[in-house]
Amino acid sequence: MGGPGVITSGSIRCNGEKARAYWNDGSIGYLEQNDFLMPFLTVRETLHYAAHLRLPRTMSSQKKRELVEIVLLELGLKECADTRVGDPGGGEAGSSGIRGISGGERRRVSAGVQLLTNPKMLLCDEVTSGLDAFSSFEVVKSLTKLAKSSQKTIIISIHQPRSEIFKLLLESGGQIILLSKGDVIYSGPIRTVLDWTEFTGIGVCPTGVNPFDYLLDLSMIDYTSDRVEKQTSQRRNLLVRAWAQREEAVWLSLLAKSNDENLTTTESTSTSIAMAVDLIPEGTGPRLQHQVLVLTSRAWRNQMRDHLVIWGCLAECIVVGLVVGTIFFQMDGSMNGIHSRSSLMYAAGSIQPYLMLMITVFRLSREITVYDRERMDRWYGPLPHLISTCLYIAPFNILYPLGKSDSLVLVFSSIVYYLTGLRTDSAQHFMWWLITNVAIQFVAFSFAMFCTSVVRRFWTASLLASGFYTLFVLSTGFLIVPSSIPPWLQWVQYIAYPSTFYKVLVSNEFTDNYFACPYVGTDGSWDTVKCSRSTDMSNGPTMMDVFLLQASKMFSRKRTVIVAEPSTDVSVSALGHETVAIEETRLDMFSNGLEQRDPVTIRVEGLSLSVPLHNFEWSFPSLLKRFRERPVKQILKDVDAIFPAGELTAILGGSGSGKTSLLNVLLHRTPSMLNTTGSIYYNDTRNPSLRMISGVSSYVRQDDNFLLSHLTVRETLRYAAELRMDSSISKADMYAKVEAIIDLLGLRECADVIVGNSAVRGCSGGQRRRVSIGIQLVNEPACLFLDEPTSGLDALTAKAVVLTLKKIAATGRTVVCTIHQPRADIWHVFDNVVLLVTGGRAAYTGRADKIEEYFQEAGHVAPPFTNLPDFILDIASVNLRSIDLEQSTRVIVDSLVQRFNATKQTLLASQLPNQPLGELVKINPKFAPFKKAFPILTRRSFVNVFRQKGLYFNRILQPVVTVILASIFFVPLRDGPGDVTSRIGLLQQTTISVFTGMLNAVALYTLERDIAYREISDGGYSATSFFFSFLVNELPLEIASSFWVTVVTLVMTGMKNTVFTFFTFWIIMFGHTNAGESIGIVFSTFTTHNGFSFIAMSAVISIFSLMTGFLSLSTPQWLNYINYVSLFKYGSVITAKNEFEGKVFDCSTDEINSGACPFPTGEAVLELFQFDDKDWTLYMALFITMVVIYRLLAWFVLVAKIKRNRW
């Protein structure tokens, strides 16, 4: 479970045996901090599939369904059981994620999946992180019962457990390990932990204090002040030494004493919770065929609900099919027509599968995380995964390739076949065409799976796929004369699937086909010499003859093509932290000398938020129902609340009660699909715009997926300070404030550690949470909103954070945060509380110090020594564990809502200020100006990318490696008649640089785009600053990669190499790469759905590549207008004229006269492609202009997207 660079010593044993054996047989389950779930499945479906994949085969389907329902009730997931899971952060406008359940509900789903896997040992990392106090307690109760009833070993890590959990573990005889910076302070029965701390001389846990809070405070170093830091550090070191030097006799006496005192209590745990997981029978897991069926069904359902990609692919394939069919429209029997036919075969057998390959690599590199996670838990092996993947993509490979490719096989094939005029003399030719295209999709998908299995990350997998595919496609014999391929490379054709498919398609089209002889004399009659020559075309007269001959030689169906003549038949061959006091803190800047802000009081009246529900399945009845009625889900309902200026307000509520949604509505950041009613007032300004709100606010989100993974904690905060703080503040003062924030948030130990993410080892989840908070603390806006600021933090650090928020509020700011599990000493810091219950309804809004009295008047009195917010959440939560409990608790919750609605006017009036509020000052967000933001963003991005050595150097090496692999097939280029084909093939192959640029954009831009969206919406900087900083970081890589591509291509192949041609070729290669990135940026900005944007950009590039002029010689004139906006055509003309102008090939007079050398000069080649009359200077100017226009278009789309989202 380690990683690269992690050194592990010691041993881990289970029942006296090495732990690895238990990992290997699936006996150990692991609930990680990150959730790996399929976004389009509902909660019930997710648990249903987990049960069928992991539970014993002897357990009936009915029992599995019943167990799933029990788990749903146990974890409080009944009300969201039929809601899709979605992605983290999917509820905010501009997010690339899929909207679904809340973060806390996602956490419980992951826990439920692990419970259903029925492991002998279950490890849970932060199982209660993101859950409210009620849900956390219920989850731990379930785990405790499971451990006792089924004799399972369950280990959980936990940050802020409520006091009832301590009592629960005490009664059940639980164990505890108390860690501090990797050192053990205590390890043993929980019943003796307080006795041990008392024995060390630290003191006695005060009465009424949560023992867990007391223990965590003892184990932490408090960096609030120098004095406190020294005291807490000495205390911690004392505890570490005491445990390391403990005497066995003393330890045993403590255990014996504790056993006597707790003998009666340890017997009372058997009836705590009804849990049915212990009813799971013994036995082996499901058979292979059952695993395959379940995996196939799950993947199919998840995929079919991605409607944007499904419909997008359908529309895109029709458009591409029509364009390709038009490019090669009704090809005739002339030499140009024959050339176009072969080009179409090449496009269908090589170009389209390459796009399929890249798209599939992109998709699989993202989806394989689910397989890796489930494989680690030994749910199933590689074989059922491979079989099920092939099965669920089979219909798409027949109808359309996986919803992710650039063509629908059936639709695309039919359109192209009949529009282009391919042979119709027999139905079997169309069937072979169709079958071959279907087979191409299967093989390309299999090869993509091979590449992503070898290397997981997209940029390395795409490099591997591109390198191999280059070798494969050059072996087809279309781009290069086969006899020119070095002998040591000719073996590639036997493993190259594009070569095989190309031969099949060519043989299918040309075998036994009849064309008019193209050679005529001066009198218009056929040239009998050229039209009657031998079937041996090794010295054939035309470039196309060379193509056809080579394919026929390589393919087993060696037959002849008969050329029809008016009188005779002539045969021609074919081819087939906790603080001591709030006043004692290093962060004096939060209360002293802090710039005063104009107070902003936020008022909410009758706020409701709903989302239309969609039927995920595609059926005629469901479509009719969708038109007849539009059911909606209420997220917030008639909420009234006040958030006063200068005070700290907490939004309290269970998971899924609408806390995050309320924050998003207050910030005007809900997706457009959500329906919002009611009014929001900032002072007396009703429903201000997002730009006005962003000008006075900052927002700390719940998820931390938008941090640059390879920056250190200190660097991340410093860059944030430089961007957000006023330019008049010196850099030294900025950095001093950053250091103070690091101390406040307890980040000193990891200040120089990279932030990391789920795929890159770095800071822990709790540390990343604190970094996100620290970013927003650097500029202290008038309104500060925080979504779960204490989630994932230890108790001491959580208290330090809340105390800091209180200090910020005391300076006149409006501070609002959602919170799940506040400890008692944190609760008293809050000024106001908004309590939300199920259905997004408000059950209380008012002063925090009045809520206990309010609940007492309602008949709910908190027991002594009970944490008040835990008690409130218990009362205000619907218990879904049984019908009786649900009914009784729902009555209580409804009565709380009714009582609040009857008294809310009085409660709200007490929070309003006496003086008029006035209108909100209409200011725009204080974007960092371009001259300030641009250099900071450029430097930040460079540092982050450069540290990702694989990504950074791959962007240089990928095109170079690809061109090396391509060039070795052309080494060396000669001047024989057949080498004309090789030169044209090499020029066509250079256009692959555009795809390289597009892949670079997909690999990096999408990540930086999402981070930029968040920071721009927070008012950090402008879209223009981000765009040009990204551009400046890209240019050196593009220049370097295109330079080496030029060197390798010209030097290795022996193309015309002068100073002029070298720099010209370099410009063309740079332009291709830059334009590819521009196209990638345009589509990745236009839609945040990465799969759909990949499809669209691939389609555009593939259409442009087919219209370079090398593949089709008979494109309709009206379609040629597309070339005016395509730099492919301009680049093709420039490179062709550079290579062929003044070129003389080694052709004898006899070869020229006999037609064996139809192109004795380069001018003849240019004439064939109609490039001879093109102005080189004009086309170079147009090429450079189009490169610039493409990048300006990308900038315009980004700016328009930002404005459209009202940022």
Side-chain angles (χ1 to χ4, degrees), residues 200-256:
T200 60
I202 295 298
V204 181
C205 178
T207 304
V209 174
N210 182 351
F212 277 131
D213 291 344
Y214 172 72
L215 293 172
L216 288 172
D217 291 348
L218 293 181
S219 65
M220 298 293 295
I221 298 178
D222 191 344
Y223 295 96
T224 303
S225 67
D226 292 329
R227 182 184 63 82
V228 174
E229 178 183 354
K230 182 177 180 180
Q231 290 177 348
T232 54
S233 179
Q234 290 175 347
R235 183 180 63 193
R236 172 202 169 275
N237 294 336
L238 173 63
L239 289 169
V240 172
R241 287 195 305 269
W243 180 256
Q245 300 171 6
R246 66 190 182 279
E247 296 181 3
E248 184 175 357
V250 174
W251 175 241
L252 292 177
S253 66
L254 284 175
L255 289 177

Side-chain angles (χ1 to χ4, degrees), residues 171 258 342 387 431 553 562 589 812 939 1013 1094 1153:
E171 293 176 346
S258 179
S342 186
I387 297 175
M431 292 305 300
K553 285 183 176 180
I562 308 301
M589 67 280 292
R939 188 170 70 252
Y1013 283 173
F1094 207 155
N1153 293 333

Side-chain angles (χ1 to χ4, degrees), residues 163-233:
S163 57
E164 289 82 357
I165 293 180
F166 185 89
K167 181 180 179 182
L168 177 67
L169 297 178
L170 184 65
E171 293 176 346
S172 62
Q175 305 282 313
I176 184 174
I177 301 176
L178 187 60
L179 298 175
S180 176
K181 297 171 61 176
D183 295 319
V184 178
I185 291 180
Y186 177 85
S187 178
I190 197 171
R191 63 179 181 270
T192 59
V193 62
L194 296 179
D195 293 333
W196 172 255
T197 56
E198 181 181 356
F199 173 78
T200 60
I202 295 298
V204 181
C205 178
T207 304
V209 174
N210 182 351
F212 277 131
D213 291 344
Y214 172 72
L215 293 172
L216 288 172
D217 291 348
L218 293 181
S219 65
M220 298 293 295
I221 298 178
D222 191 344
Y223 295 96
T224 303
S225 67
D226 292 329
R227 182 184 63 82
V228 174
E229 178 183 354
K230 182 177 180 180
Q231 290 177 348
T232 54
S233 179

Side-chain angles (χ1 to χ4, degrees), residues 351-363 405-406 441 443-449 451 458 462 464-466 468-469 472 497:
I351 296 180
Q352 303 287 44
Y354 176 73
L355 296 177
M356 167 66 178
L357 175 65
M358 289 295 100
I359 292 171
T360 309
V361 167
F362 172 76
R363 184 182 68 84
S405 187
D406 61 314
Q441 307 304 323
V443 178
F445 183 86
S446 301
F447 185 57
M449 182 170 288
C451 294
F458 170 68
S462 62
L464 179 66
S466 295
F468 273 105
Y469 199 84
F472 293 167
Y497 68 91

Side-chain angles (χ1 to χ4, degrees), residues 908-926:
L908 296 175
S910 64
Q911 294 181 280
L912 286 173
N914 298 324
Q915 67 278 10
L917 298 175
E919 292 289 327
L920 182 67
V921 179
K922 294 184 178 181
I923 59 174
N924 288 330
K926 290 186 176 180

Side-chain angles (χ1 to χ4, degrees), residues 100-112:
I101 58 179
S102 69
E105 289 167 338
R106 286 176 58 84
R107 198 79 190 109
R108 279 180 278 166
V109 173
S110 295

Side-chain angles (χ1 to χ4, degrees), residues 350-382:
S350 299
I351 296 180
Q352 303 287 44
Y354 176 73
L355 296 177
M356 167 66 178
L357 175 65
M358 289 295 100
I359 292 171
T360 309
V361 167
F362 172 76
R363 184 182 68 84
L364 291 179
S365 62
R366 298 200 168 200
E367 294 182 357
I368 203 168
T369 55
V370 175
Y371 163 73
D372 286 339
R373 183 65 190 86
E374 295 174 345
R375 171 62 178 159
M376 186 180 70
D377 285 342
R378 302 301 188 269
W379 285 27
Y380 49 84

